[in-house]
mmCIF file of all heavy atoms in Angstrom:
data_model
loop_
_atom_site.group_PDB
_atom_site.id
_atom_site.type_symbol
_atom_site.label_atom_id
_atom_site.label_comp_id
_atom_site.label_asym_id
_atom_site.label_seq_id
_atom_site.Cartn_x
_atom_site.Cartn_y
_atom_site.Cartn_z
ATOM 1 N N THR A 1 17.472 -4.355 11.925
ATOM 2 C CA THR A 1 18.730 -4.410 12.669
ATOM 3 C C THR A 1 19.708 -3.458 11.983
ATOM 4 O O THR A 1 19.496 -3.061 10.826
ATOM 5 C CB THR A 1 19.338 -5.825 12.671
ATOM 6 O OG1 THR A 1 19.688 -6.178 11.319
ATOM 7 C CG2 THR A 1 18.366 -6.859 13.231
ATOM 8 N N THR A 2 20.767 -3.119 12.688
ATOM 9 C CA THR A 2 21.781 -2.261 12.077
ATOM 10 C C THR A 2 22.326 -2.883 10.806
ATOM 11 O O THR A 2 22.474 -2.205 9.772
ATOM 12 C CB THR A 2 22.926 -2.011 13.077
ATOM 13 O OG1 THR A 2 22.407 -1.349 14.231
ATOM 14 C CG2 THR A 2 24.022 -1.164 12.453
ATOM 15 N N GLU A 3 22.602 -4.174 10.854
ATOM 16 C CA GLU A 3 23.180 -4.871 9.702
ATOM 17 C C GLU A 3 22.268 -4.800 8.484
ATOM 18 O O GLU A 3 22.735 -4.625 7.347
ATOM 19 C CB GLU A 3 23.449 -6.335 10.071
ATOM 20 C CG GLU A 3 24.085 -7.142 8.955
ATOM 21 C CD GLU A 3 24.306 -8.594 9.349
ATOM 22 O OE1 GLU A 3 23.794 -9.014 10.414
ATOM 23 O OE2 GLU A 3 24.986 -9.318 8.589
ATOM 24 N N LYS A 4 20.952 -4.933 8.696
ATOM 25 C CA LYS A 4 20.007 -4.909 7.578
ATOM 26 C C LYS A 4 19.705 -3.486 7.117
ATOM 27 O O LYS A 4 19.442 -3.252 5.929
ATOM 28 C CB LYS A 4 18.707 -5.603 7.984
ATOM 29 C CG LYS A 4 18.845 -7.094 8.252
ATOM 30 C CD LYS A 4 17.531 -7.685 8.743
ATOM 31 C CE LYS A 4 17.671 -9.176 9.022
ATOM 32 N NZ LYS A 4 16.404 -9.772 9.522
ATOM 33 N N LEU A 5 19.732 -2.540 8.048
ATOM 34 C CA LEU A 5 19.309 -1.187 7.715
ATOM 35 C C LEU A 5 20.362 -0.386 6.961
ATOM 36 O O LEU A 5 20.027 0.371 6.037
ATOM 37 C CB LEU A 5 18.913 -0.437 8.988
ATOM 38 C CG LEU A 5 17.548 -0.790 9.583
ATOM 39 C CD1 LEU A 5 17.415 -0.224 10.985
ATOM 40 C CD2 LEU A 5 16.423 -0.269 8.692
ATOM 41 N N LEU A 6 21.624 -0.509 7.340
ATOM 42 C CA LEU A 6 22.636 0.366 6.751
ATOM 43 C C LEU A 6 22.697 0.277 5.230
ATOM 44 O O LEU A 6 22.707 1.323 4.546
ATOM 45 C CB LEU A 6 24.002 0.097 7.379
ATOM 46 C CG LEU A 6 24.126 0.446 8.871
ATOM 47 C CD1 LEU A 6 25.561 0.237 9.346
ATOM 48 C CD2 LEU A 6 23.674 1.877 9.154
ATOM 49 N N PRO A 7 22.735 -0.929 4.638
ATOM 50 C CA PRO A 7 22.738 -0.956 3.162
ATOM 51 C C PRO A 7 21.435 -0.452 2.552
ATOM 52 O O PRO A 7 21.441 0.138 1.465
ATOM 53 C CB PRO A 7 22.980 -2.434 2.831
ATOM 54 C CG PRO A 7 22.654 -3.191 4.072
ATOM 55 C CD PRO A 7 22.938 -2.275 5.213
ATOM 56 N N LEU A 8 20.304 -0.662 3.241
ATOM 57 C CA LEU A 8 19.031 -0.130 2.749
ATOM 58 C C LEU A 8 19.024 1.392 2.759
ATOM 59 O O LEU A 8 18.511 2.035 1.837
ATOM 60 C CB LEU A 8 17.875 -0.651 3.613
ATOM 61 C CG LEU A 8 17.105 -1.888 3.147
ATOM 62 C CD1 LEU A 8 15.977 -2.193 4.124
ATOM 63 C CD2 LEU A 8 16.548 -1.703 1.738
ATOM 64 N N ILE A 9 19.577 1.968 3.810
ATOM 65 C CA ILE A 9 19.652 3.427 3.915
ATOM 66 C C ILE A 9 20.455 4.000 2.753
ATOM 67 O O ILE A 9 20.038 4.973 2.095
ATOM 68 C CB ILE A 9 20.254 3.834 5.271
ATOM 69 C CG1 ILE A 9 19.291 3.495 6.410
ATOM 70 C CG2 ILE A 9 20.629 5.318 5.280
ATOM 71 C CD1 ILE A 9 19.915 3.546 7.789
ATOM 72 N N ASP A 10 21.596 3.392 2.467
ATOM 73 C CA ASP A 10 22.431 3.877 1.371
ATOM 74 C C ASP A 10 21.709 3.746 0.032
ATOM 75 O O ASP A 10 21.744 4.662 -0.801
ATOM 76 C CB ASP A 10 23.747 3.110 1.335
ATOM 77 C CG ASP A 10 24.624 3.391 2.548
ATOM 78 O OD1 ASP A 10 24.377 4.406 3.236
ATOM 79 O OD2 ASP A 10 25.543 2.593 2.813
ATOM 80 N N ALA A 11 21.032 2.618 -0.161
ATOM 81 C CA ALA A 11 20.338 2.392 -1.435
ATOM 82 C C ALA A 11 19.149 3.330 -1.588
ATOM 83 O O ALA A 11 18.884 3.848 -2.684
ATOM 84 C CB ALA A 11 19.881 0.939 -1.525
ATOM 85 N N ALA A 12 18.410 3.572 -0.502
ATOM 86 C CA ALA A 12 17.264 4.475 -0.565
ATOM 87 C C ALA A 12 17.708 5.892 -0.908
ATOM 88 O O ALA A 12 17.072 6.582 -1.715
ATOM 89 C CB ALA A 12 16.509 4.451 0.766
ATOM 90 N N ALA A 13 18.800 6.324 -0.294
ATOM 91 C CA ALA A 13 19.321 7.658 -0.605
ATOM 92 C C ALA A 13 19.745 7.741 -2.064
ATOM 93 O O ALA A 13 19.475 8.740 -2.750
ATOM 94 C CB ALA A 13 20.497 7.984 0.317
ATOM 95 N N SER A 14 20.384 6.695 -2.542
ATOM 96 C CA SER A 14 20.822 6.666 -3.932
ATOM 97 C C SER A 14 19.646 6.723 -4.894
ATOM 98 O O SER A 14 19.746 7.281 -5.994
ATOM 99 C CB SER A 14 21.647 5.402 -4.186
ATOM 100 O OG SER A 14 21.964 5.260 -5.547
ATOM 101 N N ALA A 15 18.497 6.143 -4.480
ATOM 102 C CA ALA A 15 17.316 6.132 -5.339
ATOM 103 C C ALA A 15 16.558 7.449 -5.321
ATOM 104 O O ALA A 15 15.666 7.658 -6.148
ATOM 105 C CB ALA A 15 16.385 5.002 -4.909
ATOM 106 N N GLY A 16 16.873 8.332 -4.363
ATOM 107 C CA GLY A 16 16.223 9.632 -4.329
ATOM 108 C C GLY A 16 15.248 9.826 -3.186
ATOM 109 O O GLY A 16 14.528 10.837 -3.157
ATOM 110 N N ALA A 17 15.216 8.889 -2.220
ATOM 111 C CA ALA A 17 14.328 9.067 -1.070
ATOM 112 C C ALA A 17 14.784 10.256 -0.231
ATOM 113 O O ALA A 17 15.979 10.556 -0.137
ATOM 114 C CB ALA A 17 14.302 7.800 -0.227
ATOM 115 N N GLU A 18 13.800 10.924 0.403
ATOM 116 C CA GLU A 18 14.100 12.106 1.215
ATOM 117 C C GLU A 18 13.795 11.894 2.700
ATOM 118 O O GLU A 18 14.269 12.642 3.545
ATOM 119 C CB GLU A 18 13.302 13.295 0.673
ATOM 120 C CG GLU A 18 13.775 13.687 -0.724
ATOM 121 C CD GLU A 18 12.707 14.386 -1.541
ATOM 122 O OE1 GLU A 18 11.648 13.771 -1.792
ATOM 123 O OE2 GLU A 18 12.933 15.542 -1.937
ATOM 124 N N TYR A 19 13.001 10.901 3.016
ATOM 125 C CA TYR A 19 12.734 10.460 4.380
ATOM 126 C C TYR A 19 12.985 8.956 4.425
ATOM 127 O O TYR A 19 12.718 8.250 3.445
ATOM 128 C CB TYR A 19 11.284 10.726 4.796
ATOM 129 C CG TYR A 19 10.984 12.154 5.203
ATOM 130 C CD1 TYR A 19 11.112 13.206 4.304
ATOM 131 C CD2 TYR A 19 10.550 12.447 6.495
ATOM 132 C CE1 TYR A 19 10.831 14.513 4.668
ATOM 133 C CE2 TYR A 19 10.253 13.758 6.877
ATOM 134 C CZ TYR A 19 10.401 14.777 5.953
ATOM 135 O OH TYR A 19 10.113 16.060 6.322
ATOM 136 N N PHE A 20 13.482 8.476 5.564
ATOM 137 C CA PHE A 20 13.664 7.033 5.752
ATOM 138 C C PHE A 20 13.026 6.663 7.076
ATOM 139 O O PHE A 20 13.477 7.111 8.145
ATOM 140 C CB PHE A 20 15.140 6.648 5.757
ATOM 141 C CG PHE A 20 15.385 5.158 5.722
ATOM 142 C CD1 PHE A 20 15.787 4.528 4.551
ATOM 143 C CD2 PHE A 20 15.202 4.365 6.863
ATOM 144 C CE1 PHE A 20 16.007 3.153 4.514
ATOM 145 C CE2 PHE A 20 15.412 3.002 6.834
ATOM 146 C CZ PHE A 20 15.813 2.383 5.657
ATOM 147 N N CYS A 21 11.972 5.862 7.016
ATOM 148 C CA CYS A 21 11.231 5.477 8.218
ATOM 149 C C CYS A 21 11.550 4.036 8.590
ATOM 150 O O CYS A 21 11.351 3.118 7.787
ATOM 151 C CB CYS A 21 9.728 5.634 7.994
ATOM 152 S SG CYS A 21 8.727 5.237 9.453
ATOM 153 N N ILE A 22 12.065 3.849 9.803
ATOM 154 C CA ILE A 22 12.254 2.509 10.362
ATOM 155 C C ILE A 22 10.919 2.084 10.956
ATOM 156 O O ILE A 22 10.409 2.715 11.876
ATOM 157 C CB ILE A 22 13.355 2.506 11.437
ATOM 158 C CG1 ILE A 22 14.675 3.015 10.857
ATOM 159 C CG2 ILE A 22 13.528 1.116 12.027
ATOM 160 C CD1 ILE A 22 15.750 3.240 11.911
ATOM 161 N N ASP A 23 10.373 1.032 10.438
ATOM 162 C CA ASP A 23 9.034 0.617 10.844
ATOM 163 C C ASP A 23 9.095 -0.233 12.110
ATOM 164 O O ASP A 23 10.090 -0.240 12.838
ATOM 165 C CB ASP A 23 8.337 -0.114 9.687
ATOM 166 C CG ASP A 23 6.830 0.043 9.711
ATOM 167 O OD1 ASP A 23 6.174 -0.693 10.476
ATOM 168 O OD2 ASP A 23 6.295 0.884 8.976
ATOM 169 N N THR A 24 8.066 -0.972 12.355
ATOM 170 C CA THR A 24 7.880 -1.710 13.599
ATOM 171 C C THR A 24 9.055 -2.632 13.923
ATOM 172 O O THR A 24 9.703 -3.169 13.032
ATOM 173 C CB THR A 24 6.573 -2.516 13.533
ATOM 174 O OG1 THR A 24 6.380 -3.213 14.748
ATOM 175 C CG2 THR A 24 6.602 -3.527 12.403
ATOM 176 N N GLY A 25 9.298 -2.812 15.221
ATOM 177 C CA GLY A 25 10.311 -3.744 15.699
ATOM 178 C C GLY A 25 11.552 -3.107 16.272
ATOM 179 O O GLY A 25 12.368 -3.788 16.901
ATOM 180 N N TRP A 26 11.716 -1.786 16.120
ATOM 181 C CA TRP A 26 12.954 -1.139 16.561
ATOM 182 C C TRP A 26 13.115 -1.147 18.086
ATOM 183 O O TRP A 26 14.208 -0.953 18.607
ATOM 184 C CB TRP A 26 13.024 0.300 16.045
ATOM 185 C CG TRP A 26 11.868 1.175 16.455
ATOM 186 C CD1 TRP A 26 10.721 1.370 15.760
ATOM 187 C CD2 TRP A 26 11.761 1.960 17.643
ATOM 188 N NE1 TRP A 26 9.887 2.233 16.431
ATOM 189 C CE2 TRP A 26 10.509 2.617 17.597
ATOM 190 C CE3 TRP A 26 12.587 2.192 18.743
ATOM 191 C CZ2 TRP A 26 10.064 3.465 18.603
ATOM 192 C CZ3 TRP A 26 12.156 3.039 19.754
ATOM 193 C CH2 TRP A 26 10.910 3.664 19.669
ATOM 194 N N TYR A 27 12.041 -1.400 18.815
ATOM 195 C CA TYR A 27 12.013 -1.421 20.287
ATOM 196 C C TYR A 27 12.048 -2.848 20.831
ATOM 197 O O TYR A 27 11.982 -3.046 22.048
ATOM 198 C CB TYR A 27 10.692 -0.774 20.751
ATOM 199 C CG TYR A 27 9.559 -1.275 19.895
ATOM 200 C CD1 TYR A 27 8.969 -2.507 20.139
ATOM 201 C CD2 TYR A 27 9.167 -0.573 18.767
ATOM 202 C CE1 TYR A 27 8.008 -3.019 19.296
ATOM 203 C CE2 TYR A 27 8.203 -1.068 17.924
ATOM 204 C CZ TYR A 27 7.626 -2.292 18.194
ATOM 205 O OH TYR A 27 6.687 -2.812 17.335
ATOM 206 N N ASP A 28 12.128 -3.849 19.966
ATOM 207 C CA ASP A 28 11.874 -5.247 20.351
ATOM 208 C C ASP A 28 13.096 -5.876 21.001
ATOM 209 O O ASP A 28 14.056 -6.232 20.327
ATOM 210 C CB ASP A 28 11.458 -6.044 19.113
ATOM 211 C CG ASP A 28 11.174 -7.504 19.430
ATOM 212 O OD1 ASP A 28 10.965 -7.815 20.615
ATOM 213 O OD2 ASP A 28 11.149 -8.321 18.495
ATOM 214 N N ASP A 29 13.021 -6.053 22.337
ATOM 215 C CA ASP A 29 14.065 -6.747 23.086
ATOM 216 C C ASP A 29 13.478 -7.888 23.910
ATOM 217 O O ASP A 29 14.149 -8.422 24.786
ATOM 218 C CB ASP A 29 14.777 -5.766 24.037
ATOM 219 C CG ASP A 29 16.149 -5.367 23.508
ATOM 220 O OD1 ASP A 29 16.681 -6.085 22.647
ATOM 221 O OD2 ASP A 29 16.664 -4.329 23.945
ATOM 222 N N ASP A 30 12.231 -8.239 23.654
ATOM 223 C CA ASP A 30 11.525 -9.208 24.498
ATOM 224 C C ASP A 30 11.588 -10.587 23.859
ATOM 225 O O ASP A 30 11.102 -10.796 22.744
ATOM 226 C CB ASP A 30 10.066 -8.773 24.675
ATOM 227 C CG ASP A 30 9.388 -9.476 25.838
ATOM 228 O OD1 ASP A 30 9.491 -10.704 25.909
ATOM 229 O OD2 ASP A 30 8.763 -8.781 26.664
ATOM 230 N N ALA A 31 12.189 -11.538 24.579
ATOM 231 C CA ALA A 31 12.335 -12.892 24.055
ATOM 232 C C ALA A 31 10.989 -13.553 23.805
ATOM 233 O O ALA A 31 10.867 -14.453 22.970
ATOM 234 C CB ALA A 31 13.166 -13.744 25.026
ATOM 235 N N ALA A 32 9.948 -13.121 24.508
ATOM 236 C CA ALA A 32 8.615 -13.706 24.347
ATOM 237 C C ALA A 32 7.804 -13.004 23.267
ATOM 238 O O ALA A 32 6.639 -13.325 23.062
ATOM 239 C CB ALA A 32 7.857 -13.658 25.678
ATOM 240 N N GLY A 33 8.402 -12.023 22.582
ATOM 241 C CA GLY A 33 7.699 -11.314 21.523
ATOM 242 C C GLY A 33 7.212 -9.960 21.976
ATOM 243 O O GLY A 33 6.881 -9.752 23.141
ATOM 244 N N TRP A 34 7.130 -9.022 21.022
ATOM 245 C CA TRP A 34 6.853 -7.631 21.370
ATOM 246 C C TRP A 34 5.376 -7.281 21.338
ATOM 247 O O TRP A 34 4.971 -6.242 21.854
ATOM 248 C CB TRP A 34 7.626 -6.690 20.456
ATOM 249 C CG TRP A 34 7.354 -6.852 18.979
ATOM 250 C CD1 TRP A 34 8.099 -7.571 18.087
ATOM 251 C CD2 TRP A 34 6.277 -6.270 18.230
ATOM 252 N NE1 TRP A 34 7.562 -7.487 16.832
ATOM 253 C CE2 TRP A 34 6.429 -6.692 16.887
ATOM 254 C CE3 TRP A 34 5.200 -5.451 18.543
ATOM 255 C CZ2 TRP A 34 5.554 -6.315 15.869
ATOM 256 C CZ3 TRP A 34 4.315 -5.076 17.539
ATOM 257 C CH2 TRP A 34 4.497 -5.511 16.219
ATOM 258 N N TRP A 35 4.539 -8.105 20.727
ATOM 259 C CA TRP A 35 3.156 -7.697 20.493
ATOM 260 C C TRP A 35 2.443 -7.286 21.781
ATOM 261 O O TRP A 35 1.766 -6.261 21.818
ATOM 262 C CB TRP A 35 2.402 -8.824 19.791
ATOM 263 C CG TRP A 35 0.961 -8.491 19.534
ATOM 264 C CD1 TRP A 35 -0.119 -8.816 20.296
ATOM 265 C CD2 TRP A 35 0.447 -7.719 18.441
ATOM 266 N NE1 TRP A 35 -1.272 -8.321 19.760
ATOM 267 C CE2 TRP A 35 -0.958 -7.638 18.608
ATOM 268 C CE3 TRP A 35 1.026 -7.092 17.328
ATOM 269 C CZ2 TRP A 35 -1.780 -6.954 17.706
ATOM 270 C CZ3 TRP A 35 0.194 -6.421 16.435
ATOM 271 C CH2 TRP A 35 -1.193 -6.362 16.639
ATOM 272 N N ASP A 36 2.567 -8.093 22.822
ATOM 273 C CA ASP A 36 1.851 -7.792 24.062
ATOM 274 C C ASP A 36 2.767 -7.196 25.132
ATOM 275 O O ASP A 36 2.423 -7.181 26.313
ATOM 276 C CB ASP A 36 1.144 -9.034 24.607
ATOM 277 C CG ASP A 36 2.092 -10.184 24.884
ATOM 278 O OD1 ASP A 36 3.302 -10.047 24.616
ATOM 279 O OD2 ASP A 36 1.625 -11.231 25.366
#
């Protein structure tokens, strides 16, 4: 979520990361679950 990602992004940059990949779930709007 935006709330969880923003502080992680700042911390990753501070640690020296050069790419930041948002993994699974960024498309998930389905109340019944995204798997199927």
